[in-house]
Amino acid sequence: MRAKAPSSAVVRLSGIVAANGDGVESTLQGGSCSVIVTQVDKTALNALIIEAQDKHDAAVEGNQAGQYPAGAKANLQSAIDQARVVANDARADDSQVAAAVTNLNAALQAFVASVIQQAPGDVNGDHTYSIGDLALVASYYGKTSTDPDWSTVKKADIVEDGKIDIADLAAVARKILESE
């Protein structure tokens, strides 16, 4: 965060006339005063708040691949709310804005990293290795990366060699045995 270039102005007063309670007027001596105004640039903070709020709003908590663990959204929202306090504070200085950006960015990165990933071999996405996974791999047996539906069946290519064959069936069977 960088502060915008300070602006300065000189305020001059002259021809000042004051009156007392009896209506007697007096001319006061004029004077001048220099004023310097510094404005903190909150553009990056506001953009990050929008980005984080969008990710928060689009996220779903649950236990499936692509979802977030319970409480992850609340943690991110708390960080967003704290950053908004700084963004809305007209007295926030450069270091406070920079700290808010750092903290919100860290919270956002932790949130994104917490997304539940599908484990290799968990072809049906139920977070266990079972006969259901083995059945799916068997149903895709013989498919290769040149098949038009590869993007759909690729998840069964456990050994990641561009084909679904006995090696993939064996890998899933091994995971089932290891998980028992």
Side-chain angles (χ1 to χ4, degrees):
M1 302 294 97
R2 297 195 58 131
K4 291 183 180 177
S7 301
S8 63
V10 176
V11 178
R12 290 188 173 84
L13 299 174
S14 61
I16 303 169
V17 177
N20 66 16
D22 296 327
V24 177
E25 296 180 357
S26 305
T27 301
L28 303 176
Q29 179 180 353
S32 65
C33 176
S34 293
V35 178
I36 297 176
V37 178
T38 304
Q39 183 179 5
V40 175
D41 185 0
K42 298 178 182 175
T43 306
L45 177 58
N46 287 322
L48 186 58
I49 289 169
I50 290 168
E51 177 187 352
Q53 191 68 60
D54 287 348
K55 288 206 184 291
H56 171 276
D57 294 348
V60 174
E61 288 185 343
N63 60 3
Q64 300 297 316
Q67 296 179 337
Y68 294 82
K73 287 182 71 170
N75 290 341
L76 180 58
Q77 188 63 56
S78 176
I80 292 167
D81 293 344
Q82 290 172 5
R84 273 202 181 106
V85 168
V86 174
N88 294 332
D89 184 354
R91 296 169 301 173
D93 64 26
D94 219 22
S95 65
Q96 290 170 310
V97 173
V101 167
T102 299
N103 294 339
L104 181 54
N105 194 41
L108 180 57
Q109 296 311 313
F111 178 76
V112 169
S114 74
V115 70
I116 298 169
Q117 303 291 324
Q118 186 167 339
D122 180 20
V123 183
N124 64 5
D126 66 356
H127 301 289
T128 62
Y129 300 112
S130 67
I131 193 70
D133 300 307
L134 196 59
L136 278 172
V137 173
S139 73
Y140 301 143
Y141 192 89
K143 297 280 186 175
T144 68
S145 60
T146 60
D147 287 314
D149 61 346
W150 183 250
S151 64
T152 304
V153 301
K154 180 180 176 181
K155 62 186 174 188
D157 183 15
I158 310 307
V159 297
E160 298 180 341
D161 61 356
K163 60 186 176 190
I164 301 169
D165 58 11
I166 192 69
D168 300 299
L169 285 168
V172 172
R174 197 172 312 109
K175 289 191 177 290
I176 292 170
L177 291 173
E178 290 170 358
S179 68
E180 290 183 358

